[in-house]
C-alpha cells in the first residue's frame, strides 16, 4: 500500500543501454521516481549481458547527479586552462559560437574550423558521428578519428571483408580459446563470462598479452611476447602449422587466395626466428601452433592492443589468416572475432551526409591534433576554431604537451560540449552542457555483439543540459542550414539511420525496440552460426585473402565522416609480415641508451577512457596513478614499492607511484590510461608518440621508450 505519494512520484522502469566505449553495450533497466534516476540495473533478459554491470557502470545514477556536473552554458572569463567561467544563456552561447564561426569562415574559409569527437557516447544519434552532417554541411575540416581499432579494421576488411566473424556468444561451443591482447575481465566482462562457460565444458583458455593482466592471471596459459612483437609470433605460428602439416588443405584450396605465396613467404620465419624477437621459447610457439590447429573448434578474440604499434596492421592481418589455414571456420564457435559491428544495418551515409563535403576538403587525424594546432602540418589553412564533443584529447590523445600548447593559443576558439569541465573543456571559450544516458533517446552502437540495444529518454536533464542532437540543431538553425535532417527528432533520426529493410533487421522495428529494449539481429544463432563454413567471405572474391593485389591503405568511412578524399593511399604489402616497433631496445638502440624501457598503456579497470576519473568512488577502486615495474628494473634505479617516480621521455612526463611486481617482465613498464591531468601530475599520453601505424592510421600507444626515476 502506498500513502501520500503523488502519481508523478511513483516508481517506474525504462529501458537503457550503456553508451560507453566498450564492446559489451550492456542492456540496462533505469529505475525512475518522478523525474529522478534512482538506480541502474542490468537487464537480466539480455542473453549476452545477462543482467550484470561492470564496476564502472553499476552506480551510473551517481554520474548523472555528480555535484561537479556541467548543467548550464558558460563562457570563459579567465585565462585559458584556469577554469574560470561565467554562466550564460543558450541564446548567448549559440550567438557567440556561430558569430565567431561566420567571422572565421569569412576570413579563412570553413576549413579553419575543425570538429573533434570520438566514442565518449556510442549512440547512433548523439555519438561519434552525431555532428558530422552539420560540419560536412559547413565544409569544415574532416576529422579522422583513429584512436582505437581503425588499423585493425583496415587489416580485417582487406583479409576477410565486413563480416562479424565468430559470434561472441558462440564461444560457449569453443574448445580452444585464444584471447589475444585483450584484458577481458576489465574491458569485455560479459564475453569473459561466456568464455568461463566454455571452460566449464572443457575449453582451454590461452591469453597472449605482454604483461600479466587480470585476464592473463585467470588463463590456463599466459604467453607474454615483448611489446609489439605479436606479429612475429603470428607469422611463426603460420610457419609451424604449414611445416608440420597442421593445415586444412581442402579449406585452403576452396576458400582462400594466395596460399602458395604465403607458404613461400613464411618459410624462414620459424619458431626459432620468432623466439629471438618475442622472448617466447621455440617449444611454446610450436605447442601453441599445434593446439590451435588441432583442437577444434578454436576461436581467437583479438583486442585493439594488437594494433597499437608501428606494425599493428600487419599483425592483425597475420592473426586473421590463421583460422582459414586451420579450417576453424568450419565449426560453430570456430574462427576469429574482431568487431561484430560489420553486420549491423547502420546507414552511415545518412548519418554523416558525405555528399555535402566540398571537393578537396582537408583531413586532420585526431591523434595528431597537437601538431595541427601548432602549425606543424603541411597546410596553409590554420585551425582557428575546434568543437569537441564525446572526446577528451588532452587526456586521451598522444603528445599531450603539444595539444595543450595549441589549446592555449588566444586565437583558437574552442567549443566544448561536455558533462564535466574535463581536461580539454578547461581550455574552452564556450562550454555547452550535454545530456547524459537516461536523458536522451538513442540506439547504442555495439562493436562487441549482435544486438540492437535501445536507450529510452527517461528523465529530463538537469538545469539546461541538452542532448547532442539538439545542440547541433540549434547551431544549424543559427548558421542558416535548413535541410530537413536538422529538424529530425531523435526517433526520426533512428528511423532513418538504420536499414530496417535489411535481412539482418527482419522482424525488428523501432517500435519493437521501444517495447522490448533490445533485439538480436537475424544473422544466425549462437548455436548454429558458422558464417564461413563454406567460405562466403565478404571480400570481392568471396575468399579469405592471404595475398593482397594492388590494395592501398585506407581508414574505414565511419571514422572519417564517410569522406573518401585524401585517404592515406600508400600501397599495402601483399603478404602479412612482422613489422618491428620504431621504439624498442632491439630496433632503436641509440634511443634506448637514454630511454631503455618499453611503455605499455592499457585501459583502466575502474575508468572508461577518461570517464569516471573525476569520481572519488571510482578513483578509490582504481587507486592513484601507478606504474608497474619489474623488480630487476626497480632495483637498478633504487626504486622501492610505493615510491613516487617520474616517467618520461623527450615528449613529456607524468608522475606515478611505483608498484614492484612480477606481472611485468624486465624491460617493460605498464601504466593505465584515463587519469585526469588536472588531478595528477601529467598523464600517460604525455610520453606517447603521435606517429601513425602501418594501416588505417592507427595509434602507436605501445610503441614508446621511456625512463623512470625516483622523485627526490
Amino acid at each position: 500500500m502506498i500513502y501520500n505519494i503523488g502519481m508523478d512520484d511513483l516508481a517506474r522502469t525504462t529501458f537503457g543501454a550503456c553508451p560507453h566505449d566498450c564492446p559489451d553495450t550492456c542492456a540496462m533497466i533505469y529505475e525512475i521516481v518522478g523525474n529522478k534516476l534512482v538506480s541502474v540495473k542490468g537487464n537480466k533478459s539480455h542473453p549476452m549481458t545477462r543482467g550484470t554491470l561492470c564496476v564502472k557502470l553499476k552506480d551510473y545514477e551517481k554520474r548523472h547527479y555528480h555535484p561537479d556536473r556541467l548543467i548550464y552554458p558558460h563562457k570563459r572569463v579567465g585565462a585559458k586552462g584556469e577554469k574560470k567561467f561565467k554562466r550564460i544563456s543558450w541564446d548567448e552561447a549559440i550567438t557567440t559560437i556561430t558569430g565567431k564561426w561566420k567571422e572565421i569562415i569569412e576570413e579563412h574559409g570553413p576549413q579553419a574550423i575543425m570538429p573533434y569527437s570520438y566514442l565518449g557516447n556510442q549512440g547512433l544519434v548523439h555519438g561519434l558521428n552525431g555532428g558530422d552532417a552539420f560540419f560536412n554541411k559547413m565544409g569544415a575540416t574532416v576529422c579522422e578519428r583513429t584512436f582505437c581499432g581503425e588499423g585493425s579494421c583496415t587489416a580485417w576488411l582487406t583479409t576477410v571483408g565486413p563480416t562479424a566473424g565468430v559470434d561472441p556468444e558462440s564461444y560457449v561451443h569453443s574448445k580452444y580459446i585464444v584471447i589475444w591482447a585483450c584484458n577481458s575481465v576489465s574491458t569485455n566482462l560479459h564475453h569473459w563470462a561466456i568464455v568461463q562457460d566454455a571452460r566449464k565444458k572443457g575449453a582451454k583458455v590461452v591469453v597472449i598479452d605482454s604483461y600479466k593482466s587480470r585476464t592473463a592471471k585467470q588463463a590456463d596459459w599466459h604467453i607474454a611476447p615483448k611489446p609489439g612483437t605479436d606479429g612475429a609470433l603470428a607469422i611463426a605460428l603460420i610457419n609451424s602449422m604449414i611445416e608440420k602439416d597442421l593445415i586444412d588443405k581442402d579449406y585452403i584450396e576452396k576458400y582462400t587466395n594466395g596460399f602458395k605465396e604465403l607458404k613461400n613467404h613464411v618459410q624462414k620465419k620459424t619458431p626459432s626466428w620468432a623466439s629471438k624477437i618475442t622472448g617466447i621459447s621455440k617449444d611454446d610457439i610450436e605447442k601453441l601452433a599445434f593446439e590451435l590447429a588441432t583442437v577444434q573448434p578454436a576461436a581467437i578474440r583479438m583486442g585493439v592492443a594488437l594494433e597499437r604499434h608501428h606494425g599493428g596492421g600487419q599483425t592483425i592481418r597475420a592473426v586473421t589468416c590463421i583460422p582459414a589455414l586451420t579450417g576453424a571456420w568450419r565449426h560453430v564457435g570456430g574462427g576469429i572475432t574482431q568487431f561484430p559491428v560489420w553486420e549491423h544495418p547502420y546507414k552511415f551515409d545518412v548519418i554523416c551526409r558525405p555528399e555535402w563535403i566540398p571537393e578537396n576538403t582537408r583531413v586532420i587525424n585526431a591523434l595528431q591534433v597537437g601538431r595541427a594546432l601548432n602549425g606543424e602540418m603541411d597546410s596553409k589553412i590554420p585551425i582557428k576554431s575546434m568543437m569537441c564533443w564525446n572526446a577528451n584529447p588532452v587526456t586521451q590523445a598522444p603528445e599531450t604537451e603539444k595539444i595543450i600548447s595549441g589549446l592555449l593559443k588566444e586565437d583558437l576558439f574552442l567549443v566544448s560540449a561536455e558533462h564535466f569541465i574535463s581536461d580539454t573543456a578547461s581550455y574552452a571559450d564556450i562550454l555547452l552542457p550535454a545530456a547524459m544516458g537516461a536523458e536522451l533517446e538513442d540506439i547504442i552502437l555495439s562493436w562487441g555483439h549482435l544486438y540492437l540495444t535501445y536507450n529510452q529518454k527517461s528523465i529530463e536533464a538537469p538545469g539546461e543540459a541538452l542532448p547532442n542532437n539538439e545542440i547541433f540543431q540549434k547551431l544549424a538553425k543559427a548558421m542558416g542550414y535548413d535541410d530537413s535532417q536538422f529538424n529530425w527528432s531523435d526517433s526520426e533520426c533512428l528511423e532513418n539511420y538504420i536499414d530496417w529493410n535489411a535481412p539482418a533487421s527482419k522482424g525488428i522495428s523501432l517500435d519493437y525496440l521501444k517495447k522490448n529494449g533490445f533485439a538480436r539481429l537475424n544473422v544466425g544463432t549462437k548455436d548454429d552460426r558458422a558464417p564461413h563454413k563454406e567460405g562466403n567471405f565478404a571480400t570481392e572474391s568471396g575468399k579469405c585473402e592471404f595475398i593482397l593485389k594492388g590494395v592501398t591503405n585506407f581508414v574505414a568511412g565511419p571514422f572519417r565522416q564517410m569522406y573518401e578524399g585524401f585517404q592515406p593511399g600508400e600501397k599495402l604489402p601483399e603478404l602479412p609480415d612482422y613489422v618491428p616497433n620504431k621504439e624498442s631496445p632491439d630496433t632503436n638502440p641509440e634511443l634506448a641508451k637514454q630511454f631503455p624501457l618499453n611503455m605499455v598503456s592499457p585501459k583502466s579497470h575502474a575508468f572508461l577512457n577518461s570517464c569516471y576519473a573525476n569520481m572519488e568512488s571510482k578513483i578509490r577502486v582504481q587507486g592513484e596513478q601507478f606504474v608497474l615495474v619489474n623488480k630487476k628494473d626497480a632495483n637498478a634505479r633504487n626504486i622501492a614499492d610505493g615510491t613516487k617516480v617520474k616517467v618520461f621521455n623527450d615528449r613529456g612526463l607524468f608522475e606515478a607511484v611505483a608498484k614492484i611486481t612480477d606481472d611485468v617482465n624486465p624491460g617493460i613498464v605498464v601504466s593505465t590510461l584515463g587519469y585526469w591531468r588536472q588531478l595528477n601530475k601529467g598523464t600517460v599520453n604525455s610520453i606517447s608518440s603521435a606517429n601513425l601505424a602501418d594501416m588505417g592510421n592507427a595509434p602507436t600507444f605501445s610503441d614508446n621508450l621511456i625512463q623512470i626515476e625516483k622523485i627526490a
Side-chain angles (χ1 to χ4, degrees):
M1 190 172 292
I2 299 173
Y3 299 96
N4 300 320
I5 297 178
M7 290 300 294
D8 290 342
D9 294 322
L10 293 177
R12 57 192 172 93
T13 59
T14 57
F15 292 120
C18 176
H20 291 311
D21 181 17
C22 170
D24 290 30
T25 309
C26 287
M28 307 188 304
I29 301 294
Y30 295 134
E31 295 187 327
I32 312 294
V33 176
N35 188 48
K36 186 173 182 179
L37 175 66
V38 295
S39 72
V40 176
K41 296 181 178 179
N43 188 338
K44 293 181 180 180
S45 63
H46 195 286
M48 176 76 189
T49 61
R50 307 184 190 184
T52 59
L53 300 176
C54 70
V55 67
K56 309 167 185 71
L57 198 70
K58 64 181 182 179
D59 53 358
Y60 190 43
E61 72 278 359
K62 293 181 180 178
R63 182 170 172 83
H64 283 66
Y65 302 112
H66 194 281
D68 294 337
R69 184 172 172 189
L70 183 67
I71 60 174
Y72 298 103
H74 287 72
K75 68 177 180 181
R76 177 172 62 88
V77 293
K80 290 199 170 191
E82 209 175 24
K83 294 178 68 175
K84 291 184 178 179
F85 298 96
K86 178 183 177 182
R87 179 180 167 181
I88 58 175
S89 68
W90 268 105
D91 284 346
E92 183 179 349
I94 297 298
T95 300
T96 302
I97 294 167
T98 55
K100 184 66 175 178
W101 282 349
K102 289 173 182 178
E103 290 176 8
I104 291 171
I105 291 170
E106 179 68 25
E107 184 174 356
H108 301 282
Q111 293 184 63
I113 300 168
M114 179 178 173
Y116 197 105
S117 67
Y118 200 62
L119 290 170
N121 182 307
Q122 290 199 146
L124 292 179
V125 179
H126 306 285
L128 172 76
N129 304 107
D132 287 357
F134 172 79
F135 284 106
N136 289 347
K137 183 70 178 180
M138 178 188 288
T141 286
V142 169
C143 183
E144 188 176 70
R145 305 127 167 176
T146 59
F147 274 95
C148 179
E150 287 74 33
S152 176
C153 289
T154 303
W156 179 263
L157 294 172
T158 55
T159 307
V160 293
T163 171
V166 185
D167 181 350
E169 290 184 86
S170 293
Y171 278 65
V172 72
H173 300 295
S174 306
K175 294 182 180 178
Y176 198 85
I177 299 171
V178 176
I179 298 175
W180 205 326
C182 179
N183 184 12
S184 302
V185 173
S186 294
T187 63
N188 197 186
L189 183 64
H190 298 90
H191 186 242
W192 180 247
I194 295 168
V195 170
Q196 293 296 87
D197 290 343
R199 188 187 230 169
K200 292 173 184 175
K201 296 167 63 178
K204 183 172 181 176
V205 179
V206 181
V207 171
I208 305 175
D209 207 327
S210 56
Y211 78 108
K212 195 173 289 183
S213 67
R214 291 172 184 259
T215 310
K217 290 178 180 180
Q218 296 189 38
D220 298 307
W221 185 15
H222 174 217
I223 300 170
K226 294 178 182 178
T229 66
D230 300 78
L233 172 59
I235 291 293
L237 292 175
I238 292 172
N239 167 282
S240 186
M241 289 172 178
I242 295 173
E243 290 300 311
K244 296 192 175 185
D245 200 24
L246 302 173
I247 55 177
D248 187 329
K249 295 175 183 176
D250 179 70
Y251 194 92
I252 291 168
E253 182 180 352
K254 291 178 178 176
Y255 308 127
T256 72
N257 282 326
F259 174 73
K260 181 180 177 181
E261 292 87 347
L262 178 64
K263 179 181 179 180
N264 291 336
H265 179 66
V266 303
Q267 196 169 8
K268 296 182 179 179
K269 308 288 177 75
T270 65
S272 295
W273 163 83
S275 179
K276 296 174 183 177
I277 297 168
T278 63
I280 303 167
S281 73
K282 167 182 172 292
D283 289 346
D284 279 349
I285 296 173
E286 290 178 343
K287 177 185 176 184
L288 178 61
F290 178 82
E291 292 180 352
L292 189 53
T294 60
V295 184
Q296 298 294 344
I300 301 172
R301 164 64 164 101
M302 293 191 294
V304 295
L306 266 178
E307 73 169 10
R308 294 187 165 194
H309 54 91
H310 178 56
Q314 280 287 65
T315 298
I316 299 286
R317 280 213 69 223
V319 177
T320 304
C321 289
I322 291 173
L325 287 165
T326 64
W329 286 117
R330 294 185 186 275
H331 312 281
V332 176
I336 191 166
T337 305
Q338 188 239 17
F339 298 159
V341 71
W342 300 114
E343 293 184 35
H344 285 236
Y346 305 138
K347 296 164 71 173
F348 285 105
D349 283 346
V350 177
I351 300 172
C352 302
R353 301 300 296 268
E355 70 273 20
W356 290 345
I357 303 174
E359 190 176 356
N360 293 320
T361 296
R362 72 174 174 181
V363 178
I364 292 177
N365 188 279
L367 299 169
Q368 299 183 331
V369 67
R371 300 179 185 184
L373 291 172
N374 286 285
E376 296 180 19
M377 313 296 282
D378 185 20
S379 177
K380 296 180 181 179
I381 307 170
I383 298 176
K384 290 295 182 179
S385 180
M386 186 167 77
M387 180 171 176
C388 191
W389 74 102
N390 297 338
N392 184 11
V394 170
T395 300
Q396 296 301 110
E399 298 183 354
T400 311
E401 303 306 321
K402 287 187 178 183
I403 297 172
I404 291 172
S405 174
L407 295 179
L408 284 170
K409 291 187 172 193
E410 284 298 327
D411 63 349
L412 177 77
F413 181 69
L414 178 64
V415 181
S416 181
E418 255 291 7
H419 298 144
F420 301 93
I421 304 177
S422 66
D423 284 347
T424 303
S426 64
Y427 296 92
D429 295 281
I430 300 291
L431 291 171
L432 302 176
M436 202 176 286
E439 302 155 5
L440 49 85
E441 181 187 15
D442 217 332
I443 289 174
I444 307 302
L445 181 148
S446 174
W447 52 271
H449 59 62
L450 292 166
Y451 293 83
L452 297 177
T453 315
Y454 179 71
N455 187 82
Q456 182 178 346
K457 181 177 179 179
S458 305
I459 56 173
E460 293 299 323
E464 296 176 4
L466 294 176
N468 286 343
N469 188 44
E470 193 168 339
I471 293 174
F472 285 112
Q473 287 177 341
K474 285 180 175 290
L475 291 169
K477 184 178 180 179
M479 292 295 292
Y481 306 155
D482 57 3
D483 302 82
S484 61
Q485 186 160 343
F486 298 125
N487 293 310
W488 288 346
S489 67
D490 292 349
S491 284
E492 288 173 322
C493 286
L494 293 174
E495 290 284 10
N496 285 284
Y497 289 177
I498 291 175
D499 184 357
W500 299 104
N501 295 316
S505 304
K506 186 178 180 181
I508 306 171
S509 65
L510 183 57
D511 284 342
Y512 179 92
L513 290 171
K514 288 181 178 182
K515 292 175 183 176
N516 296 278
F518 64 88
R520 182 179 169 91
L521 296 170
N522 287 287
V523 291
T525 74
K526 68 180 177 68
D527 300 319
D528 63 20
R529 180 179 162 90
H532 308 301
K533 182 177 182 178
E534 297 177 348
N536 297 315
F537 291 97
T539 57
E540 188 174 334
S541 68
K543 298 182 177 183
C544 177
E545 303 290 357
F546 295 151
I547 190 167
L548 304 179
K549 296 282 191 179
V551 179
T552 56
N553 193 16
F554 65 92
V555 176
F559 304 110
R560 54 183 352 248
Q561 302 172 213
M562 296 303 288
Y563 182 49
E564 286 303 313
F566 299 105
Q567 286 279 15
E570 65 270 20
K571 186 179 179 182
L572 294 178
E574 288 190 349
L575 294 160
D577 207 348
Y578 165 59
V579 179
N581 275 6
K582 284 193 172 183
E583 294 189 17
S584 76
D586 293 332
T587 63
N588 200 334
E590 281 302 308
L591 185 64
K593 290 178 182 178
Q594 188 176 3
F595 307 114
L597 301 171
N598 269 127
M599 177 84 188
V600 177
S601 51
K603 296 190 177 186
S604 298
H605 183 72
F607 307 153
L608 214 155
N609 298 328
S610 70
C611 292
Y612 301 103
N614 65 324
M615 296 183 66
E616 291 184 1
S617 60
K618 307 303 180 187
I619 295 172
R620 283 196 297 271
V621 174
Q622 182 63 26
E624 60 185 315
Q625 179 76 73
F626 62 87
V627 58
L628 303 181
V629 187
N630 183 271
K631 186 177 181 180
K632 180 179 178 181
D633 294 321
N635 289 342
R637 294 161 177 79
N638 197 29
I639 295 171
D641 191 66
T643 301
K644 197 82 170 181
V645 297
K646 176 176 71 172
V647 183
F648 65 98
N649 57 20
D650 54 9
R651 289 184 284 269
L653 64 86
F654 68 96
E655 293 182 1
V657 173
K659 291 186 177 181
I660 315 304
T661 177
D662 291 332
D663 291 347
V664 296
N665 291 327
I668 302 169
V669 297
V670 173
S671 193
T672 60
L673 291 168
Y675 292 88
W676 281 19
R677 185 183 179 95
Q678 61 190 271
L679 302 175
N680 297 272
K681 177 66 175 178
T683 62
V684 172
N685 278 330
S686 296
I687 59 89
S688 298
S689 169
N691 291 335
L692 305 175
D694 60 337
M695 290 188 192
N697 285 351
T700 55
F701 290 127
S702 295
D703 197 340
N704 297 289
L705 284 174
I706 59 93
Q707 178 62 286
I708 58 173
E709 290 180 358
K710 183 168 64 174
I711 297 174

